[in-house]
Amino acid sequence: MQKQISNLDKLTLSNDFLFKHVMLRKRICKHILEELLHTEIADITYLEAEQTIDVYPDSHGIRLDVRIADAANTHYNLEMQVKNPVNRATGKFLLPKRTRYYQAMLDTDMLQKGQDYDELSPTYIIFFCLFDFFQDSQRIYTFKKRCLENMNIELADEAVIMFLNTLGTKGDVSPDIQSLFDYINSNTITSNFTREVADTIVEIKNDKKVRDAYMTYEMRMKDLRDEAHAEGKAEGRAEGKAEGLAEGKAKEKTATAKRLLSMGLSVEDIAKATSLSVEQVEAIKAE
């Protein structure tokens, strides 16, 4: 138990668990949104922190860190992204299509049966990234749909995706947002706002309910890691078994071909009898 508590004490704002709990402090979260979007927000409501959306039983569910709606019914999804995920098989980065899927699932979850499309709320999907995905040093990358033939024409679907690059050096952000980036990067307090964030983190870490929740979270993550490890081992055993069977069958065919060759059968007949190619039988004969 002591190890779990010690782990919580070491967490920084870049950790999903701690990020979620800090964003659950309404004043902090509301201030971040206002500073990012350069607008006043009357109030925010938490729809569900760390929500899992499974629109269809056989669909790929998504777990959202923090999902919020404001008084104007604009919906926000805030995510902390420490690493740049990549598909090891294809080498392709996953973040762009991940945002596409998040947007689709949010919209599907939001629109109830019988509602018109214009009842979809405006949405912002906001990723706090500890890396520069687009390699252009922008502090913020904001994406909306525009016409390629005339970039002045915007598709007004009210869906916005923002990548916040905490390492960025280009583009203007408010002093509080820059100080938040600095705090995420180096845990350095450079403003009254990040002092408030740091004090909030201390308060969160001393909250018994949070400590208990973190131990549950850690056990759940361990179970998931163990399951993934077990699946990987099972797949490895299955692959090894399949390879072993294939190798065994190949050796058996070779041995059969050698016996038939010693009996004087033709290469063509042996190929038919063993399902080997004529070339393979000839290679065995030449050995």
Side-chain angles (χ1 to χ4, degrees):
M1 182 176 294
Q2 183 61 40
K3 182 177 183 295
Q4 303 289 350
I5 293 175
S6 176
N7 285 344
L8 174 61
D9 293 334
K10 294 176 182 177
L11 295 187
T12 63
L13 188 56
S14 62
N15 176 269
D16 280 347
F17 181 88
L18 193 55
F19 173 77
K20 177 193 74 174
H21 279 81
V22 171
M23 291 302 106
L24 287 175
R25 301 303 174 100
K26 183 180 286 189
R27 208 201 83 78
I28 290 176
C29 187
K30 179 172 170 289
H31 182 66
I32 289 173
L33 291 175
E34 288 178 331
E35 294 290 294
L36 281 174
L37 304 178
H38 308 289
T39 186
E40 290 187 10
I41 297 175
D43 193 17
I44 59 173
T45 302
Y46 292 94
L47 302 179
E48 188 175 349
E50 203 174 333
Q51 178 186 15
T52 299
I53 297 180
D54 289 296
V55 178
Y56 303 107
D58 57 349
S59 67
H60 181 91
I62 59 173
R63 182 181 60 80
L64 306 179
D65 281 352
V66 184
R67 189 177 174 193
I68 302 161
D70 65 17
N73 202 33
T74 298
H75 286 224
Y76 307 89
N77 169 220
L78 279 65
E79 302 283 331
M80 178 61 71
Q81 192 70 39
V82 175
K83 295 181 180 179
N84 189 6
V86 63
N87 185 320
R88 292 181 180 178
T90 64
K92 293 183 178 180
F93 292 104
L94 302 178
L95 206 51
K97 287 190 177 179
R98 179 179 169 187
T99 63
R100 171 180 162 182
Y101 191 71
Y102 273 33
Q103 184 65 61
M105 294 292 277
L106 281 172
D107 288 343
T108 306
D109 183 62
M110 195 185 305
L111 198 65
Q112 301 300 313
K113 187 176 181 180
Q115 288 184 306
D116 292 328
Y117 292 117
D118 64 356
E119 294 182 70
L120 281 171
S121 300
T123 60
Y124 285 84
I125 296 176
I126 303 172
F127 279 85
F128 288 77
C129 297
L130 276 69
F131 52 89
D132 187 357
F133 183 85
F134 301 98
Q135 298 295 309
D136 192 45
S137 300
Q138 299 293 336
R139 290 182 171 92
I140 299 178
Y141 299 92
T142 303
F143 291 87
K144 296 181 180 181
K145 297 183 181 71
R146 292 189 177 275
C147 175
L148 293 179
E149 288 74 22
N150 184 346
M151 295 298 287
N152 291 320
I153 300 175
E154 179 184 332
L155 182 64
D157 61 355
E158 297 184 304
V160 180
I161 296 173
M162 300 176 70
F163 296 89
L164 312 184
N165 171 24
T166 64
L167 303 175
T169 56
K170 295 179 182 177
D172 294 329
V173 294
S174 72
D176 277 355
I177 292 298
Q178 182 58 57
S179 68
L180 180 65
F181 287 176
D182 294 338
Y183 185 73
I184 292 172
N185 291 333
S186 61
N187 214 35
T188 303
I189 297 169
T190 57
S191 68
N192 291 333
F193 177 58
T194 47
R195 166 53 63 192
E196 180 182 358
V197 171
D199 290 345
T200 299
I201 288 174
V202 172
E203 182 183 333
I204 289 170
K205 289 180 177 180
N206 289 328
D207 188 320
K208 185 180 184 303
K209 289 184 178 179
V210 175
R211 298 180 87 86
D212 291 343
Y214 182 68
M215 289 197 301
T216 302
Y217 169 84
E218 278 279 86
M219 286 187 288
R220 186 178 67 183
M221 292 297 103
K222 182 179 183 301
D223 288 342
L224 291 173
R225 288 193 296 269
D226 289 346
E227 287 176 11
H229 182 63
E231 288 177 3
K233 288 179 69 175
E235 288 177 4
R237 286 195 297 268
E239 289 176 2
K241 186 176 181 181
E243 289 176 2
L245 287 171
E247 184 178 347
K249 287 181 179 179
K251 287 182 178 179
E252 183 180 343
K253 287 182 180 180
T254 299
T256 301
K258 287 180 177 179
R259 286 197 299 271
L260 295 177
L261 282 167
S262 66
M263 294 169 61
L265 272 70
S266 70
V267 170
E268 289 76 13
D269 288 341
I270 294 173
K272 290 178 182 179
T274 60
S275 299
L276 293 171
S277 67
V278 171
E279 290 77 11
Q280 287 174 312
V281 177
E282 287 179 342
I284 294 170
K285 184 178 180 180
E287 289 179 358

